Amino acid sequence: MPADKGGVYQRGGYWLDLDRGAGGKPNSRNWYIFWYDSSTGHQRRTSTRTSDVRLACSKLDEHYLAVHKPTVADQDHYAVPSALADYWQEHGSKQASSEAIKARLKLLTRFLDVQVHTGRLVDPILPDDIDESVLGRFRSWAQIDPIVARKKDDDGNWIDGASRTRSASTAEESIIALKAALNHAVGKRRIRYAPALKHKTRDQVTPARSYRLSVEGIGELLDFTMRGSGKSAGHPARLMPLRRYLIGAICTLGRPDAILDMSVSPKRGQWMQDAHCFALNPEGRLQTNKVRPVIPVVGALEAWLTASDEWLVCRETSSSDEDQQIEVVEQIRVASVRSAWDSAREALGIPDGWGPKLIRHSMSTILATRRVDLVELEMALGHRVLGKTSSRYVIFDPRYLGTIRSGLEDVVGDLAKRSGNALHPKLTRDHINVVPMRA
């Protein structure tokens, strides 16, 4: 181990500290990375250009990983938590699915900490310490460790909210992330080999789930967003984000994360108005295995996109401008509709365990029974991908996903007969004395 150099964080021969002048007084608020340069015999430093210690520690890790060449001794002592952290630093944080990867790695890290605390594993945890028995304990622990929502109380303090059981598939996805991190370490020569670990497939851990909503059931959900349930999370004023989400889910068949990411901002290049198409994958975002396709825009969706300042799924606040005697409406992006969805699910008797993704499953089933082209349905769901050259041009063909467009229009037409008011954006902006503002 290298000698302790002080500072707030050290890795190898590099340490993090403030650049200090005479008397130890800092010359800057920014953190610096220090190291001893044996070729010159002098101490050197480089600025992290940040005063945030967490970001500075990440900068030091990035610097260390870029210049350090692992030795045989390093390989013998490289611990699993380091493999998880380095995998995130070098690979996971740069992926389009970075938030999901971060959550999986965080879950694994918490589990390893618990194992050390209870004496089931000894620190440092080396790759050879991870075997099927450890994975079995992780699966059991993940099932009993609840997912706890965080919310703010009346004083603005973060407190624990509702909790729910973690799905078995989440644990398997975390094991996949563990395998990826260890294989990444092998590729960087930080360990000589990765242990042979096996994860279970989604089909093995997730029982067949055939529950679907009918058109009538989806209509009831839309009605609920208009009337609410009387509870705080189910109040009509707080259900606008859920209604906007439902419109997006019905009209695009998208996954929840893709719908929450829908924006009309020209910078994102998603809404192609002239072609009447919408790209669920914004410009600059790399596609993942869960492909976000380009979807034809039907009339109902176009109305809501037109009524959006930036984000489709948003909440609205209004305030009065006394000087101009107008009411100002501001749209603010939301990160989740889970609370509102749970209120609707409980009120309408939707089985526990079904989240907002149920709309994607239900709409797929409804369209399939209406005899849309199944190849087009696979394309609309992102399960079948066109070649790069073909996809560049075919989306501008008026016939692109023609049966999907017709099928969506039929479903929206049926919903209009049942829940017509909920399909139209009811924004106070329609009043002549209202000025909408971008969030």
Side-chain angles (χ1 to χ4, degrees):
M1 292 291 291
D4 185 7
K5 302 296 183 180
V8 296
Y9 177 61
Q10 179 181 346
R11 187 162 186 187
Y14 301 85
W15 67 97
L16 193 68
D17 205 347
L18 296 172
D19 181 37
R20 304 177 188 276
K25 183 178 180 180
N27 295 321
S28 168
R29 294 180 59 195
N30 288 345
W31 293 97
Y32 279 74
I33 300 170
F34 290 85
W35 71 96
Y36 176 76
D37 188 343
S38 58
S39 63
T40 62
H42 292 90
Q43 180 175 287
R44 296 181 60 185
R45 71 182 186 274
T46 182
S47 176
T48 64
R49 302 183 182 276
T50 180
S51 59
D52 187 316
V53 69
R54 291 188 179 183
L55 290 177
C57 289
S58 180
K59 292 281 188 180
L60 187 148
D61 283 334
E62 182 179 354
H63 185 86
Y64 171 83
L65 293 171
V67 301
H68 180 70
K69 304 301 181 185
T71 65
V72 172
D74 292 333
Q75 293 176 336
D76 291 337
H77 297 92
Y78 190 69
V80 173
S82 296
L84 299 178
D86 293 345
Y87 173 74
W88 166 254
Q89 178 74 39
E90 295 178 311
H91 180 77
S93 61
K94 300 175 176 61
Q95 303 306 303
S97 54
S98 60
E99 288 302 313
I101 294 172
K102 183 178 181 180
R104 295 162 191 166
L105 297 177
K106 185 177 180 180
L107 182 65
L108 286 163
T109 301
R110 285 203 299 115
F111 167 73
L112 295 177
D113 289 342
V114 169
Q115 291 290 288
V116 171
H117 180 73
T118 58
R120 301 299 298 272
L121 289 172
V122 178
D123 194 27
I125 304 170
L126 302 178
D128 279 342
D129 296 330
I130 307 297
D131 56 21
E132 290 302 320
S133 64
V134 174
L135 297 186
R137 296 202 299 270
F138 171 67
R139 292 183 177 104
S140 299
W141 173 83
Q143 285 285 294
I144 63 175
D145 180 65
I147 298 174
V148 181
R150 299 281 288 168
K151 63 179 182 180
K152 287 187 177 181
D153 60 16
D154 295 337
D155 297 325
N157 300 313
W158 285 102
I159 60 174
D160 290 344
S163 64
R164 57 189 174 91
T165 303
R166 182 175 289 103
S167 68
S169 61
T170 299
E172 299 309 316
E173 288 164 356
S174 297
I175 292 174
I176 293 173
L178 170 62
K179 293 168 61 177
L182 294 176
N183 288 330
H184 180 79
V186 172
K188 295 293 184 179
R189 299 184 179 179
R190 294 172 188 144
I191 55 177
R192 286 183 284 276
Y193 67 93
L197 304 176
K198 295 181 179 180
H199 69 273
K200 297 178 181 178
T201 66
R202 181 177 291 272
D203 289 341
Q204 288 176 305
V205 298
T206 304
R209 308 179 78 189
S210 58
Y211 182 81
R212 297 290 186 271
L213 292 174
S214 62
V215 173
E216 290 73 19
I218 294 175
E220 289 180 357
L221 269 173
L222 288 168
D223 285 344
F224 179 85
T225 65
M226 297 288 288
R227 55 182 169 79
S229 66
K231 299 180 181 178
S232 177
H235 191 279
R238 298 192 178 189
L239 292 172
M240 177 60 81
L242 178 60
R243 181 146 64 105
R244 284 176 161 269
Y245 173 90
L246 291 176
I247 296 297
I250 292 165
C251 296
T252 70
L253 315 181
R255 298 179 179 88
D257 59 335
I259 296 166
L260 292 169
D261 211 22
M262 290 177 67
S263 170
V264 299
S265 171
K267 294 183 297 184
R268 292 170 62 88
Q270 291 186 271
W271 189 16
M272 295 172 276
Q273 291 178 268
D274 292 341
H276 300 286
C277 290
F278 193 94
L280 292 176
N281 200 55
E283 289 183 358
R285 179 187 182 274
L286 295 177
Q287 289 280 17
T288 67
N289 291 333
K290 295 183 177 180
V291 174
R292 295 184 180 184
V294 176
I295 296 293
V297 173
V298 296
L301 178 59
E302 184 175 11
W304 283 89
L305 293 175
T306 302
S308 300
D309 292 332
E310 186 169 2
W311 303 101
L312 173 65
V313 184
C314 62
R315 61 185 175 89
E316 296 172 3
T317 62
S318 60
S319 58
S320 298
D321 187 325
E322 299 297 336
D323 294 335
Q324 300 185 48
Q325 295 186 344
I326 59 174
E327 185 180 6
V328 177
V329 176
E330 186 177 11
Q331 295 184 349
I332 302 172
R333 185 185 189 183
V334 300
S336 172
V337 295
R338 188 75 196 212
S339 178
W341 170 269
D342 285 342
S343 295
R345 182 185 56 75
E346 293 173 7
L348 301 180
I350 297 173
D352 189 14
W354 287 97
K357 197 175 182 180
L358 175 60
I359 305 301
R360 172 178 165 89
H361 297 317
S362 299
M363 283 298 300
S364 302
T365 302
I366 292 169
L367 291 177
T369 58
R370 296 193 178 201
R371 299 293 190 269
V372 300
D373 185 275
L374 295 183
V375 172
E376 288 191 1
L377 182 57
E378 289 181 351
M379 291 169 58
L381 293 170
H383 294 164
R384 181 185 291 248
V385 184
L386 289 172
K388 185 176 181 180
T389 302
S390 299
S391 63
R392 187 174 300 169
Y393 303 106
V394 74
I395 59 175
F396 297 107
D397 188 326
R399 295 168 297 178
Y400 172 68
L401 298 185
T403 69
I404 297 298
R405 184 192 297 271
S406 298
L408 290 174
E409 289 172 344
D410 286 345
V411 173
V412 170
D414 289 345
L415 287 171
K417 297 174 185 176
R418 191 193 186 290
S419 310
N421 290 337
L423 288 172
H424 301 289
K426 283 190 164 185
L427 300 178
T428 51
R429 68 177 58 218
D430 294 335
H431 194 281
I432 58 173
N433 287 327
V434 172
V435 176
M437 295 187 65
R438 184 176 300 279

